[in-house]
Amino acid sequence: MNVERKTQAARSAATRDALITAARRLFAERGYADVGTEEIVRTAGVTRGALYHHFPDKLALFAAVFEALETDVAGRIAAAAGAETDPDPIAIMRAGVAAWLDACAEPEVHRIMLTDAPAVLGWERWVEISNQHNMGLAQALLAAAMDVGRVPRQPVAPLAHTLIGAVREAAMYLARAADQRQARVDIGRVMDQLLRGLTVE
């Protein structure tokens, strides 16, 4: 690739990032339905043509925003799991789940990931994108727990899907709670108990 093409590619990537950043902030503030494309391009400092060069419509832009946020949150979950000093895979899973629930209490995550994404993208696509970012870590930790005898040997994939489903529902409960602080405490205890229930003492 020559210098001119590299420059064009860099400009294109910068424009795409600007659109995602602007849309992410606006969607977090007011929600998908109340944000128009004109406001997004104005906030991003680009043209409407630039928007449609990268995204066919607002829905596609929202999907990109959702994936960017999923990537960020998944990184935080992985970091929390990696920072856990107890080598027990169950303790590591508990740290990851706690990081996820903490993220879900944040307004941006609450609005984009838990309120708008299921409605805008549809349940099936929402789950598919979420699983792409989280299923691998869940399966790896469950397999590690089985290898050291902390969880009974069993098929990893269905157990991981069931566990991720429970974590997702915990997040939805938290998102809809009138008293989110209390809900975070309550659902955290429930998830700790659920994870402990997987183990062999």
Side-chain angles (χ1 to χ4, degrees):
M1 182 181 291
N2 61 33
V3 174
E4 183 179 352
R5 286 186 179 178
K6 285 183 179 179
T7 302
Q8 288 175 345
R11 281 199 298 263
S12 180
T15 298
R16 187 178 191 277
D17 288 346
L19 285 163
I20 291 173
T21 299
R24 179 169 167 172
R25 179 168 65 81
L26 293 169
F27 290 151
E29 288 173 355
R30 300 205 311 280
Y32 176 84
D34 291 335
V35 176
T37 55
E38 194 61 47
E39 183 178 9
I40 293 169
V41 298
R42 186 170 61 250
T43 302
V46 303
T47 66
R48 179 174 288 276
L51 169 64
Y52 292 118
H53 173 74
H54 291 281
F55 304 101
D57 50 30
K58 189 174 80 163
L59 177 60
L61 176 56
F62 179 82
V65 167
F66 174 56
E67 292 215 39
L69 186 53
E70 275 281 5
T71 298
D72 289 350
V73 173
R76 290 165 58 182
I77 293 170
E84 174 57 52
T85 56
D86 188 338
D88 178 14
I90 297 299
I92 295 171
M93 278 189 270
R94 289 176 64 191
V97 168
W100 162 244
L101 293 175
D102 287 342
C104 290
E106 297 171 4
E108 179 185 52
V109 175
H110 181 174
R111 168 80 78 167
I112 294 174
M113 288 180 63
L114 302 177
T115 302
D116 280 353
V120 173
L121 300 176
W123 181 268
E124 187 173 343
R125 191 175 181 200
W126 177 61
V127 169
E128 178 187 6
I129 292 172
S130 177
N131 285 350
Q132 288 172 0
H133 291 273
N134 301 298
M135 190 60 67
L137 177 60
Q139 291 187 351
L141 289 172
L142 287 169
M146 292 178 198
D147 288 343
V148 298
R150 288 288 282 130
V151 171
R153 185 69 64 182
Q154 57 194 289
V156 172
L159 180 58
H161 275 269
T162 301
L163 182 59
I164 289 289
V167 172
R168 188 176 292 120
E169 284 300 316
M172 297 303 289
Y173 173 84
L174 181 58
R176 294 167 179 155
D179 184 346
Q180 289 204 339
R181 182 169 300 189
Q182 186 60 48
R184 172 65 185 87
V185 172
D186 293 342
I187 205 66
R189 289 172 179 162
V190 170
M191 290 308 304
D192 280 349
Q193 184 62 41
L194 181 63
L195 289 171
R196 284 195 294 268
L198 297 174
T199 65
V200 175
E201 299 296 341

